[in-house]
Amino acid sequence: MSAPGPAASAALLAEARDLVDAELTGWAARLASEIGGRHGEALRYALLTPGKRVRAALVLAAFRSVGGQSPAIAEVAAAVETVHAYSLVHDDLPCMDDDDLRRGRPTTHRQFDVPTATRVGFLLVPVAARILASAASRLALSASTLGRMAEELFQGGGIEGMVGGQWLDLEAEGRTLTLAQLMEVHRGKTGALIRASCTVGGMAGGAPADGVAALTAFGEDIGLAFQIADDVLDCTGTSEELGKTAGRDAALAKSTYVLLLGVDGARREAETLARRAVERLEGAGLPSDALGALAGYIVSRTS
Ligand code: GRG
């Protein structure tokens, strides 16, 4: 497969942003009217602050890689981005990474207050389930496909994935982890939701079991690569470029790939994983220019 360039990933991310933001805007308006007041506003804020929408783009690309065509896939992508939005709101809280800046704006608890942000974070989890159920109905998916997608998304977002990884990450502050321990943290904290994005996209597209497995393996590698690139950016980027406070890992005395391998070593590791991800996909007979472009973007991004 010829390496698809940055223009391809930029176009896909822009498309994903447009499609998923339209879905989330509709949901935010509906939820704001259901919940009302300050919590409704905070929920809208958390959902609609401008993210890169990488996970949404992965859902779209995975869906299309197995022949999916319906535009309703954007609502599956919105469900994944809603789980991600919850994680960012809670990650920034004083009891976790305690940050003031996210996506170039004040974090939700800075814009509103800690109790509001805490409640809104929790509210977003069942909202993600509702969005996924609505998407499944629009895509005319069977109950069993919806069940498998929900299991992937919420297991990836749970103790065996994102929550578990974050838990280990918090416990590890101030300690130096081995590379194997750090990989376990990264695969859970960040990798699991990225892997689930690829898996649910494939399931929604009706991929057979081996196609889903190939997309899951791709997602596993690029999920880890994403967090390694994040470690590099945290110490090489500025807060303005990143839209979040740079240098936070060092301030919180976190173990990172940069600490263990240096900037160049960490970059090489991320690139190796991204290459392996694409090769595995091709090896499984599922080449996808779009997924290849996103793998390249994930390890070369500047924010
Ligand atoms: C109860 C222990 C416990 C945990 C709760 C808060 C939480 C669950 C998990 C945090 C997971 C987290 C925020 C991991 C970091 C992932 C990451 C690198 C986020 C940044 O992703 P981008 O760059 O962000 O895609 P945008 O803003 O572009 O969407």
Side-chain angles (χ1 to χ4, degrees), residues 4-6 9-10 12-13 52-59 61 190-191 194-195 197-198 218-233 266-267 269-271 273-275 277-278 290-303:
S9 58
L12 188 61
L13 285 162
K52 294 185 291 294
R53 306 303 187 203
V54 172
R55 293 153 193 80
L58 287 167
V59 173
T190 304
I194 289 184
R195 187 196 62 215
S197 307
C198 300
F218 171 85
E220 178 95 18
D221 279 346
I222 56 155
L224 181 55
F226 188 99
Q227 182 57 52
I228 299 174
D230 218 68
D231 286 1
V232 171
L233 287 171
R267 276 201 183 115
E269 184 63 19
E271 282 160 10
L273 281 163
R275 246 192 329 271
V278 174
L291 288 171
L294 289 172
Y297 165 80
I298 279 170
V299 294
S300 63
R301 66 201 169 91
T302 53
S303 68

Side-chain angles (χ1 to χ4, degrees), residues 49-55 81 84 86-92 96-97 102-103 122 157 162-170 188-191 194 226-227 230 242 244 297 301 303:
T49 43
K52 294 185 291 294
R53 306 303 187 203
V54 172
R55 293 153 193 80
E81 287 285 343
H84 175 54
Y86 132 71
S87 81
L88 299 182
V89 172
H90 276 195
D91 187 50
D92 292 331
M96 297 227 191
D97 281 4
R102 175 66 73 177
R103 296 175 164 171
F122 285 128
M162 188 176 75
V163 169
Q166 174 82 344
W167 195 313
L168 294 174
D169 192 46
L170 292 169
K189 180 178 84 163
T190 304
I194 289 184
F226 188 99
Q227 182 57 52
D230 218 68
L242 303 180
K244 59 183 180 182
Y297 165 80
R301 66 201 169 91
S303 68

Side-chain angles (χ1 to χ4, degrees), residues 14 29 53 56 60 63 94-95 101 103 122 128 140 147-148 170 174 185 190 207-208 213 229 238 253 279:
R53 306 303 187 203
L60 260 54
F63 177 74
C95 64
L101 186 68
R103 296 175 164 171
F122 285 128
R148 287 187 302 125
L170 292 169
V185 171
T190 304
T238 63
E279 283 165 7

Side-chain angles (χ1 to χ4, degrees), residues 136-137 139-149 203:
S137 154
L139 286 161
L141 299 177
S142 68
S144 105
T145 302
L146 169 60
R148 287 187 302 125
M149 288 167 64
M203 286 175 167

